[in-house]
């Protein structure tokens, strides 16, 4: 569903292509990108995006490098970043980014700590990841990624 503040009204939109929980989403160029998650049986390596102009979901044909449930997703420097997550066996510290222009996923250097179900945000030109779960315990640490230095 979507909310229209001008009308103070909720309305239905088209359903996603794949049912997913524990996914994460970000907005880029007026489209909503949703990555990873869990479909009730498997952790997902798929992603799709919603175009509100035509009320349509489209599958990103190239999957991510691994399944990512509890993934952090953020729009950063005109690309969609998928960070960390859980594949059903292990938490990841790997990161990858999707370029909507080339329609390709490429690797980004790994975080120091594997994590899933964490906060992620862009602030002052860097991506910050906060908290989460590493498979053994909750994390109170914060890491930041700078695209200029290509380092966490």
């Amino acid at each position: 569903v979507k909310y229209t503040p001008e009308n103070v009204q909720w309305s239905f939109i088209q359903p996603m292509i794949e049912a997913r929980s524990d996914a994460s989403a970000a907005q880029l160029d007026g489209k909503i990108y949703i990555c990873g998650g869990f479909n009730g049986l498997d952790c997902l390596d798929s992603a799709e995006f919603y175009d509100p102009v035509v009320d349509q979901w489209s599958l990103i044909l190239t999957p991510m490098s691994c399944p990512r449930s509890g993934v952090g997703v953020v729009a950063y420097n005109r690309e969609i970043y998928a960070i960390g997550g859980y594949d059903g066996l292990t938490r990841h510290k790997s990161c990858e980014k999707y370029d909507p222009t080339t329609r390709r996923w490429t690797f980004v250097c790994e975080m120091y700590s594997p994590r899933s179900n964490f906060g992620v945000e862009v602030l002052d030109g860097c991506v910050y990841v906060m908290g989460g779960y590493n498979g053994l315990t909750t994390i109170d640490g914060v890491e930041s990624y700078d695209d200029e230095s290509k380092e966490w």
Side-chain angles (χ1 to χ4, degrees), residues 38-86:
F38 180 71
N39 66 8
L41 296 172
D42 298 305
C43 295
L44 302 172
D45 62 2
S46 63
E48 54 191 284
F49 65 91
Y50 177 72
D51 185 341
V53 174
V54 294
D55 186 28
Q56 179 179 337
W57 288 92
S58 298
L59 189 64
I60 294 174
L61 298 178
T62 305
M64 294 182 290
S65 64
C66 62
R68 297 180 185 273
S69 181
V71 61
V73 175
V74 69
Y76 177 58
N77 288 346
R78 318 284 317 141
E79 296 174 305
I80 298 295
Y81 280 63
I83 304 166
Y86 176 65

Side-chain angles (χ1 to χ4, degrees), residues 82-102:
I83 304 166
Y86 176 65
D87 66 8
L89 296 173
T90 187
R91 265 62 187 188
H92 290 280
K93 57 184 178 178
S94 65
C95 309
E96 55 193 308
K97 62 184 179 177
Y98 178 75
D99 183 337
T101 305
T102 64

